[in-house]
Structures are given as C-alpha cells and as structure tokens.
C-alpha cells in the first residue's frame, strides 16, 4: 500500500515516508499521498497530471504510439491502483489500448515484410526495404 | 518499509556514493555506446578524408601530408572551431541577458529534433546497412518519427519523466559524439586539448562567457538555458524536497539552448560545459535543517541540488574514448579510467570550491596523456609480452 508511492528507480533512497498518515487503508481511500507519476514526489501533482495525461493522449493520435507508451510508463502508479485518480486513469488506459493496437498492427506488417521477403512480395520488396531506399536517396554515409 | 525512517543521515558517505553513481552511470553508458558504434561501423579507419564540417574548415587532412603539416592544420582547425564556439556562447549570453526565453527554448527543441532525426536517422541507416536488417522504409520512418518527436517533448517540456529525459539526453550525446569521431585524427586530438583550455578559460576567468552565464542565472534564480544533464536528486527528507521542487517550478522553466555551428552536412550542438550548484538558490527555504543536511547541502551535493553536467562534457568524453577505440581497445580502457578519474577529481573539487567548475580540463588532459602513453609505451610492452607468452 505504501509501496504505491515508492514505485521508483532502485537508485533512490527508500526513505520515503511521505505519507504522514500511519493508516495505510485510509491513504488508499484518500489518495492524497499517492503520487500519480512514476517519479513520485519529484513528478507532477495530481492536477497537472490530468492535463499532461490528456495532452499526451491527444498528441498520440498523430501516429505517435511511443508517446502513448511513455504516457503509460510515466503514470504507471495510476495503472497499478485501480481506484485512485479516476480521471487520469481514463486517459492512461486508453493510451495503453491505443499503443497495443498500433504496435500489434505495425509488428504484423514489419514481420510479414521481413519474413515474407521476396517470395511474398516479389520485386516490390527490393524497392521497399530500407537499405535500398537509403542507397537510392543517398542517405547512407555521413560523408 | 522502515528502512532509514528514524535514523538521520549521519555522514556524507551515506548519499555520496549514490550521487556519484547518478552521474557516472550516464557518462559510462554514453562512452560505451559510442565505442560500440565505432567498433561496429568503422571498418576503414582512414576513410574520413571526405568528411567536412566547421571543424575541418581551415584544413582537410589527407594521408600524404607530413606530420608537421598535419599538426599545423589541426591547430588551424581547432582555432576556427574554438572561435566559433566562443562567438556562439557570447551570443547565448547576450540572448539570456535580454531574456529571450521563448526563443532559446524553441531553438533548443529545434536542435534536439535535428540531432535526433537527422543524425539518429543516418546512424540507424548505417547500422541497418551494416547488418542488412530487413526493415522496410515505412516502419523505419514511423519509428524514427516517433523517436524524434518524443525526444523533442522530453527536452522541451520541463516536467517530463526524469528517466526518459535523461535517456534522451544521453542519446543526443551519443549521436553528436559519434559524428565528431569522424573528424580527422590529428584535428580531433588538438581540438580536444583546445576545448579543454577553452572550458577552463570560459568558466574561471571573470570575463568568460560561461561564468557570466552562471552568475546571471544565479542572480536571477533561473535555470541556465542549455542542454544539461541533471542527475536524479537524492531524496532525504521528502517534505522539504517537495517544497523545493514546487518552489523551483514557479520560476521560469528550464529553457535550454545549444549553440549551433554551421556544418556542411549536418548540424552539431555545443552545449555548456559547466557543472553548477543549484543549492544556493534553495538553501534559504530550509533554515531549520539539521546539521548533517546543511552540511551536505553546503557542498553542493545536497538533496535538492542534484549534480548537473553539461551535455558538451558527455560529448567530448565520448569523442576521446571513441577516437581511442579507433586505434585499439587497450587505449579505450586506459582512456576510460583516466576520464572517470578526472571526473571524480572534478567532483571533489566541486565539493571543496562550491562554485561552477569546468568538467572538461582535468578529464581531457588525463585522457589524452593516457592515450599517448598507452599507444606509445603500453602497447609495445603488452605485445612483446604476449608474443613471448609471458602475459596474455
């Protein structure tokens, strides 16, 4: 329960008795001392997090699934505790769903392309593969 | 979880290791990645003659010149480069003085985008080419686009995930450092020494641009506008830390900037190279701290002021190690140890002098000395030992 506020990197000091409330149950219910971001007290406050979560979610629609993934990573405590932060949780869960869908589609396409190879695609494969495209456009080689 | 809840910090050693590790880890990761890239991508070490940038504007090294010509040419190159850096840094000081905060922040975001998209894309294409990885152009462009845009967010926005911001700063350092290792050899070494001397002058002389910048930032209680790596602050007393964090927030956010030189093929950034202490800004709000805390805060490694290291330091350490990797891995080990030792010395000096110090000179000087010692003396010794089966 108190671990809610301690989801942090291992190189941080565990001296994190931020909740002056000794009763773990009420701290869950009050949710005033559980930080919504993975950075804990170094991160955002709850009000700012709602704004951030919403902005990340909306920007992710511009073909940015990585931004959705970052959103989920950053607000990981929100995902872990299903009853705290209802507004943030809304956006974070939707970001997670969006990220999974997009990634599965992209992965399916990429795997089909790389495993199928020439047999599946024919001569188009050579035109689409990255190292040939780079050669054609002169992108490879910094000099 | 009752570890350390009641026991106060009794000595600096409790948190010193953590703070040091917080800055040594990213530096080591950056150097390691650059060495990895150099080893993977450089099969032909003498093919850098067609590489042009501002650092080779005065003289392009060819294989047929005499050593004296090469040395002279390298001096000219470094002079041009250091002059360009000085002009750009003074420009940065001027803009900071005129409080053009938005412009600097936009510029920083723009240069992060250019580095991540352009240099990142080119280096990934080199890697794909080398390994013949069957990725198609659509997937590649989507991945690159994602990577760069989120990187710009990380660098641009002030309240972003600490880990991701640190990761992106290290990646930017790696990309720019790899780009710099493609300079001709003599130019690289003379340039490193020249930049170490420049750093010393710029931070310690009263007229130096970096010193002016730090003093202005301290007097205005703002953050310096540059790409600066900030280690995660060590939490000791949570309530005070939260106060500090919020208090810092209300001032203008980090408006970073880099100095950009006109490069023919690609752009590179030059960031500030000074370590700074943000503790003096924050100490006033915590007058009731216990003695160990004030002592720790006093030396600049306290709970609030995390150690900051400019991205230029990352870049030039990695350039040194990358260039050492082009010769042999033995020089890499020697230079890595020298740089880490230099960084340790610099941090110790930081705790003694408690002001912004240049992080380049000690490490670069030690690194260069160790490189030439390893190359000229150590290698002969080790090769002789190995070939006579005395030592492997």
């Amino acid at each position: 329960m108190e671990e809610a506020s301690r989801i942090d990197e291992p190189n941080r000091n565990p001296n994190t008795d931020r909740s002056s409330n000794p009763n773990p149950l009420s701290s869950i219910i009050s949710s005033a001392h559980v930080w919504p971001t993975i950075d804990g007290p170094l991160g955002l406050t709850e009000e700012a997090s709602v704004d951030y979560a919403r902005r990340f979610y909306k920007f992710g629609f511009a073909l940015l699934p990585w931004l959705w993934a970052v959103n989920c990573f950053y607000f990981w405590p929100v995902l872990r505790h299903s009853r705290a932060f209802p507004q943030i949780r809304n956006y974070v869960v939707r970001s997670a769903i969006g990220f999974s869908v997009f990634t599965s589609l992209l992965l399916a396409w990429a795997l089909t392309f790389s495993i199928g190879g020439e047999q599946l695609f024919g001569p188009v494969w050579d035109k689409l593969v990255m190292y040939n495209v780079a050669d054609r456009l002169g992108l490879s080689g910094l000099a | 979880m009752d570890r350390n809840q009641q026991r106060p910090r009794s000595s600096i050693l409790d948190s010193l290791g953590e703070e040091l590790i917080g800055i040594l880890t990213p530096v080591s990761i950056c150097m390691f990645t650059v060495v990895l890239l150099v080893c993977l991508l450089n099969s032909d070490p003498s093919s850098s003659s067609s590489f042009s940038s501002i650092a080779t504007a005065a003289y392009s090294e060819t294989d047929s010149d005499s050593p004296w010509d090469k040395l002279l040419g390298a001096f000219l190159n470094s002079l041009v480069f250091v002059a360009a850096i000085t002009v750009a840094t003074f420009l940065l000081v001027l803009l900071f003085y005129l409080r053009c905060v938005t412009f600097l922040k936009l510029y920083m975001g723009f240069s992060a985008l250019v580095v991540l998209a352009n240099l990142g894309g080119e280096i990934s294409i080199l890697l794909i080419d080398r390994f013949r990885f069957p990725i198609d152009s659509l997937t590649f462009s989507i991945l690159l686009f994602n990577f760069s845009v989120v990187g710009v967010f990380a660098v641009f926005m002030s309240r972003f995930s600490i880990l991701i911001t640190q990761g992106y700063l290290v990646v930017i350092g790696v990309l720019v450092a790899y780009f710099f290792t493609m300079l001709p050899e003599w130019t690289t070494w003379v340039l490193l020494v020249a930049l170490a001397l420049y750093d010393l002058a710029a931070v310690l002389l009263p007229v130096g641009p970096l010193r002016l910048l730090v003093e202005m930032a301290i007097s205005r209680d703002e953050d310096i506008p540059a790409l600066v790596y900030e280690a995660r602050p060590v939490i000791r007393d949570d309530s005070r830390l939260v106060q500090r964090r919020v208090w810092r927030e209300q001032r203008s956010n980090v408006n970073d900037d880099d100095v950009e030189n006109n490069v023919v093929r690609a752009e590179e950034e030059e960031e500030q190279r000074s370590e700074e202490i943000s503790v003096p800004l924050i100490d006033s709000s915590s007058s009731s701290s216990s003695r160990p805390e004030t002592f720790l805060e006093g030396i600049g490694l306290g709970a609030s002021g995390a150690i900051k290291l400019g991205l230029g330091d990352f870049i030039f350490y990695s350039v040194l190690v990358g260039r050492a990797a082009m010769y042999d891995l033995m020089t890499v080990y020697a230079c890595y140890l020298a740089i880490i030792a230099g960084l340790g010395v610099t941090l110790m000096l930081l705790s003694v002098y408690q002001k912004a110090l240049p992080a380049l000179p000690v490490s670069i000087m030690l690194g260069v000395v160790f490189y030439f010692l390893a190359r000229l003396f150590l290698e002969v010794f080790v090769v002789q030992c190995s070939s006579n089966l005395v030592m492997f």
Side-chain angles (χ1 to χ4, degrees):
Chain A
M1 339 249 201
E2 290 302 312
E3 288 115 25
S5 41
R6 285 199 197 119
I7 300 168
D8 45 23
E9 265 67 42
N11 67 348
R12 294 244 318 255
N13 273 338
N15 183 17
T16 49
D17 189 23
R18 352 197 131 84
S19 163
S20 51
N21 189 344
N23 188 353
L25 252 180
S26 58
S27 87
I28 280 267
I29 294 173
S30 70
S31 84
H33 299 286
V34 176
W35 299 93
T37 64
I38 200 172
D39 288 333
L42 297 171
L44 300 167
T45 59
E46 193 174 336
E47 303 79 37
S49 323
V50 178
D51 196 33
Y52 267 58
R54 185 186 321 126
R55 263 197 282 165
F56 285 169
Y57 173 65
K58 294 213 171 121
F59 271 114
F61 278 107
L63 289 187
L64 289 171
W66 179 228
L67 191 59
W68 278 331
V70 165
N71 202 8
C72 300
F73 170 73
Y74 194 36
F75 292 111
W76 185 247
V78 172
L79 281 180
R80 270 194 62 166
H81 301 278
S82 45
R83 259 174 297 148
F85 314 115
Q87 300 158 299
I88 308 179
R89 190 181 167 78
N90 192 15
Y91 291 117
V92 172
V93 164
R94 282 199 237 161
S95 303
I97 295 175
F99 170 66
S100 337
V101 165
F102 200 104
T103 311
S104 50
L105 287 176
L106 196 63
L107 209 59
W109 160 248
L111 282 177
T112 317
F113 187 84
S114 59
I115 298 179
E118 304 232 13
Q119 298 139 333
L120 199 56
F121 287 91
V124 185
W125 196 86
D126 272 332
K127 288 209 210 114
L128 281 180
V129 79
M130 193 60 212
Y131 40 82
N132 288 341
V133 171
D135 282 337
R136 255 189 301 140
L137 296 176
L139 297 172
S140 58
L142 285 171
Chain B
M1 307 292 146
D2 359 45
R3 290 178 273 175
N4 304 329
Q5 272 181 2
Q6 304 306 325
R7 177 169 52 93
R9 294 274 173 220
S10 53
S11 80
I12 182 184
L13 292 175
D14 281 342
S15 65
L16 181 63
E18 199 171 337
E19 306 256 5
L20 285 184
I21 293 292
I23 203 74
L24 287 180
T25 311
V27 173
S28 308
I29 290 177
C30 189
M31 288 199 269
F32 174 74
T33 315
V34 172
V35 167
L36 195 66
L37 280 178
V38 165
C39 291
L40 285 177
L41 293 177
N42 278 32
S43 52
D44 189 6
S46 59
S47 65
S48 57
S49 52
S50 54
F51 179 73
S52 55
S53 77
I54 192 170
T56 54
Y59 161 78
S60 293
E61 184 172 317
T62 58
D63 289 331
S64 56
D65 293 342
S66 69
W68 180 247
D69 278 342
K70 286 191 193 175
L71 195 62
L72 215 55
F75 267 124
L76 286 174
N77 274 338
S78 330
L79 216 59
V80 167
F81 191 76
V82 170
I85 295 279
T86 318
V87 164
T89 317
F90 271 116
L91 196 65
L92 169 62
V93 170
L94 185 68
L95 285 175
F96 188 59
Y97 181 70
L98 298 174
R99 299 176 193 265
C100 305
V101 164
T102 340
F103 175 73
L104 290 178
K105 211 167 171 195
L106 279 177
Y107 183 71
M108 189 201 69
F110 170 71
S111 48
L113 182 67
V114 165
V115 168
L116 287 173
N118 198 3
L119 289 186
E122 291 202 17
I123 290 179
S124 353
I125 288 180
L126 282 177
L127 282 172
I128 289 176
D129 221 3
R130 163 89 168 72
F131 290 113
R132 312 304 284 177
F133 199 60
I135 193 172
D136 65 303
S137 33
L138 183 67
T139 315
F140 178 78
S141 42
I142 288 182
L143 290 176
L144 188 65
F145 173 67
N146 267 271
F147 184 68
S148 346
V149 170
V150 178
V152 170
F153 274 136
V155 153
F156 200 78
M157 289 168 52
S158 52
R159 300 306 298 277
F160 203 73
S161 164
I162 292 182
L163 189 66
I164 293 189
T165 310
Q166 290 176 337
Y168 267 107
L169 286 174
V170 169
V171 165
I172 291 179
V174 164
L175 294 177
V176 179
Y178 181 74
F179 175 81
F180 266 109
T181 59
M182 310 218 318
L183 292 175
E185 184 165 14
W186 287 72
T187 307
T188 315
W189 293 110
V190 178
L191 185 67
L192 282 170
V193 174
L195 279 171
L197 294 172
Y198 165 75
D199 202 22
L200 199 61
V203 176
L204 295 180
L205 288 181
V207 77
L210 295 178
R211 180 166 172 156
L212 294 175
L213 203 59
V214 168
E215 282 172 2
M216 268 199 287
I218 288 183
S219 67
R220 287 194 215 166
D221 283 350
E222 284 177 8
D223 279 326
I224 291 201
L227 283 179
V228 167
Y229 182 94
E230 181 173 343
R232 182 185 288 263
V234 172
I235 292 184
R236 215 163 283 110
D237 185 327
D238 51 299
S239 59
R240 214 179 305 134
L241 181 67
V242 170
Q243 243 177 31
R244 278 193 202 111
R245 192 76 188 174
V246 170
W247 190 65
R248 280 180 75 169
E249 264 294 289
Q250 282 152 3
R251 280 173 279 121
S252 65
N253 294 321
V254 175
N255 38 4
D256 300 24
D257 172 70
D258 354 58
V259 166
E260 199 171 12
N261 303 294
N262 288 326
V263 184
V264 173
R265 273 303 300 258
E267 295 174 304
E268 42 126 307
E269 280 71 35
E270 189 53 59
E271 288 80 32
Q272 269 194 282
R273 281 161 272 115
S274 68
E275 288 178 79
E276 76 157 11
I277 312 167
S278 47
V279 170
L281 308 175
I282 299 178
D283 232 355
S284 51
S285 69
S286 56
S287 49
S288 60
S289 53
S290 56
R291 234 174 112 263
E293 318 273 328
T294 42
F295 171 67
L296 284 169
E297 286 159 18
I299 68 168
L301 299 180
S304 66
I307 300 181
K308 291 186 189 172
L309 192 61
L311 210 59
D313 296 323
F314 277 78
I315 290 173
F316 289 106
Y317 292 163
S318 308
V319 169
L320 198 152
V321 174
R323 182 45 78 168
M326 286 182 177
Y327 185 68
D328 193 43
L329 280 183
M330 192 180 351
T331 44
V332 169
Y333 302 138
C335 292
Y336 174 74
L337 291 174
I339 290 180
I340 296 292
L343 193 59
V345 167
T346 314
L347 289 175
M348 272 201 300
L349 288 176
L350 184 70
S351 69
V352 167
Y353 285 108
Q354 300 183 32
K355 49 185 271 211
L357 288 181
L360 275 187
V362 180
S363 289
I364 297 283
M365 293 306 182
L366 279 180
V368 170
V369 164
F370 271 61
Y371 172 80
F372 285 110
L373 284 180
R375 179 167 174 167
L376 297 172
F377 300 119
L378 185 65
E379 190 191 5
V380 176
F381 175 68
V382 170
V383 166
Q384 291 294 323
C385 282
S386 307
S387 56
N388 289 310
L389 301 180
V390 170
M391 185 170 77
F392 296 108

